[in-house]
Amino acid sequence: MTQASAAPKDDRQRYGRHDREIIALAVPAFGALVAEPLFVMADSAIVGHLGTAQLAGLGVASGLLTTAVSVFVFLAYATTAAVARRVGADDLSAAIRQGMDGIWLALLLGAAVIAVALPTAPALVEMFGASDAAAGYAITYLRISSLGIPAMLVVLAATGVLRGLQNTRTPLYVAIGGFVANGVLNVGLVYGADLGIAGSAWGTVVAQCGMAAVYLFVVVRGARRHGASLRPDAAGIRACAQAGVPLLVRTLSLRAILMIATAVAARIGDAEVAAHQIILALWSFLAFALDAIAIAGQAIIARHLGANDAEGARAVCRRMVQWGIASGVALGLLVVLARPLFIPLFTSDAAVQDTALPALIVVALAQPICGIVYVLDGVLMGAGDGRYLAWAMLLTLAAFTPAALLVPTLGGGLTTLWAAMTLMMTVRMLTLWLRSRSGRWIVTGATR
């Protein structure tokens, strides 16, 4: 066999190995990601039968809770990268110790959120513009559910630990179990015990605490097996917090972009904001599929860097980009084919349907760009390149804001707004692509 013929075979074998690893991590990660919003959907379906005011109250409270928890998603991202690096360095004891620092940080942050949420619940609900009929239900749900925030944050951090250990199956199983328990508890407490919306909140809190307990059991068992300390370490917790700050800036900038887009849609008209919410729901679902690949990238990249395998990290990055493009093309085609069926599931209003349909074409065309963005985001997170991600997202926010605000001024509609969203994703893609090409993200060793 000649060297020329051997090289393509070696490439195929290497790509096949990468592909199997990506699939093994990404598929369970996708299942776990999809299970999370199903919590809210289940609560909405159960509470919705109590009355419109109760459902409206749940909507306001769950929006506040989702925002609060999403701000701390860095607990999962930063922990994944830090743990996986130590796995690559073949130091499982230090990997789990790093994970415990993230879990202790989650508990501290959760306690702080409870201290803020309980007394300020009425003001927060009022700020979100809840009606008088819905406000009482929203306050009740928010106050009870806030007691589960420490558990929710522990779940985030512990999920990061297991992802770093290259284990995405356990989070999937825990998410499925939590979803089932949440549904059973909600039905029993809302209707069986006649607790109304408070029963829904308590059912969710109990399910979240159960999920956190399972995660802690798994992590503690691993710590004992590998001789890792379970005690809180001030220096380690501080390091976790410092690593999370840039990712917090990134997340807040992204949330600001989504809030600006919704505010602009509301200024255009009622049909536009209704159609925007439908499209945003689809956009979020598509993001779960792409984010699952990014999660696999975080874990694999960090492990290679921890093992001082810079070339392996580059090879995985290249393959991840190919996966992102292919997945984006497939999802874009799916959006085009399914859009006549998708919109009627959410509304029968002809004006809303007519507004949404052309905007969905823009969303479909943007999916290959989104695929590249998500996987490179995962690559740089896995590399611990949070500071660059923060600055890149701030730049993206600065580019998107004037473009979005000009849409109603220039008489543009929802399709134009989603063209601005595509511009935003293009800016993100360029900033991430330039960083990946530079190689400056490649820092090997057990710590960055």
Side-chain angles (χ1 to χ4, degrees):
M1 182 183 293
T2 65
Q3 289 184 335
S5 61
K9 183 178 180 180
D10 290 342
D11 288 341
R12 286 195 299 271
Q13 289 176 342
R14 184 171 63 251
Y15 285 149
R17 185 172 66 253
H18 291 329
D19 291 346
R20 287 191 295 272
E21 192 169 21
I22 291 168
I23 292 170
L25 292 173
V27 172
F30 175 70
L33 288 169
V34 171
E36 293 175 12
L38 290 178
F39 269 73
V40 177
M41 291 178 62
D43 288 359
S44 299
I46 293 166
V47 171
H49 291 285
L50 296 174
T52 302
Q54 288 90 333
L55 184 58
L58 172 67
V60 171
S62 63
L64 286 164
L65 290 164
T66 301
T67 299
V69 174
S70 66
V71 165
F72 298 113
V73 73
F74 69 82
L75 288 166
Y77 293 154
T79 306
T80 297
V83 171
R85 271 184 177 269
R86 286 161 176 79
V87 169
D90 200 24
D91 191 348
L92 288 178
S93 177
I96 296 175
R97 173 66 262 179
Q98 181 75 39
M100 285 305 305
D101 291 336
I103 290 172
W104 281 112
L105 177 61
L107 287 169
L108 291 173
L109 291 173
V113 173
I114 289 178
V116 172
L118 288 179
T120 62
L124 290 171
V125 168
E126 183 179 357
M127 183 178 67
F128 265 61
S131 67
D132 292 339
Y137 296 114
I139 293 169
T140 296
Y141 191 92
L142 181 59
R143 279 180 165 158
I144 296 172
S145 291
S146 66
L147 300 177
I149 285 180
M152 295 168 73
L153 299 189
V154 165
V155 167
L156 284 177
T159 299
V161 176
L162 295 183
R163 288 174 181 170
L165 294 171
Q166 319 295 296
N167 177 1
T168 55
R169 288 184 178 273
T170 299
L172 172 61
Y173 299 148
V174 174
I176 293 172
F179 171 72
V180 172
N182 179 67
V184 172
L185 287 166
N186 267 255
V187 171
L189 294 174
V190 171
Y191 299 114
D194 199 25
L195 294 179
I197 195 169
S200 177
W202 281 118
T204 301
V205 168
V206 172
Q208 290 162 348
C209 289
M211 292 172 66
V214 173
Y215 273 118
L216 289 175
F217 172 79
V218 173
V219 174
V220 168
R221 185 179 60 182
R224 288 175 174 167
R225 181 185 304 141
H226 297 287
S229 173
L230 298 174
R231 295 179 180 178
D233 176 63
I237 294 171
R238 216 169 21 247
C240 285
Q242 290 171 351
V245 168
L247 296 180
L248 176 62
V249 172
R250 168 198 168 276
T251 300
L252 290 174
S253 299
L254 182 56
R255 296 294 300 183
I257 287 170
L258 297 177
M259 290 175 64
I260 290 169
T262 300
V264 169
R267 287 179 60 188
I268 299 173
D270 290 345
E272 283 75 11
V273 72
H276 176 73
Q277 289 303 116
I278 294 171
I279 294 173
L280 198 58
L282 175 62
W283 177 277
S284 298
F285 181 80
L286 296 174
F288 286 134
L290 298 173
D291 202 27
I293 302 173
I295 286 169
Q298 289 175 40
I300 298 169
I301 288 288
R303 193 191 70 228
H304 278 286
L305 294 176
N308 294 310
D309 184 7
E311 185 52 45
R314 288 191 185 93
V316 171
C317 178
R318 289 192 294 268
R319 193 57 174 171
M320 294 297 299
V321 170
Q322 293 170 358
W323 266 81
I325 295 171
S327 300
V329 170
L331 291 174
L333 290 173
L334 182 63
V335 170
V336 171
L337 295 174
R339 66 192 182 105
L341 304 174
F342 173 76
I343 297 297
L345 293 176
F346 289 85
T347 180
S348 57
D349 188 316
V352 176
Q353 291 183 3
D354 292 342
T355 302
L357 285 173
L360 276 177
I361 294 295
V362 177
V363 171
L365 293 173
Q367 289 312 297
I369 297 172
C370 295
I372 297 172
V373 167
Y374 275 88
V375 297
L376 288 181
D377 210 37
V379 165
L380 296 186
M381 282 185 188
D385 203 10
R387 184 171 297 181
Y388 181 83
L389 288 172
W391 283 110
M393 189 58 79
L394 287 171
L395 175 64
T396 302
L397 174 61
F400 171 75
T401 300
L405 295 178
L406 279 173
V407 170
T409 303
L410 299 177
L414 187 67
T415 302
T416 308
L417 174 60
W418 275 93
M421 289 285 285
T422 303
L423 171 65
M424 177 270 293
M425 294 300 290
T426 302
V427 172
R428 286 186 71 187
M429 181 185 70
L430 290 174
T431 57
L432 298 174
W433 179 78
L434 288 172
R435 185 65 168 183
S436 69
R437 292 283 293 176
S438 73
R440 294 178 182 175
W441 56 276
I442 300 177
V443 178
T444 58
T447 58
R448 182 176 172 86

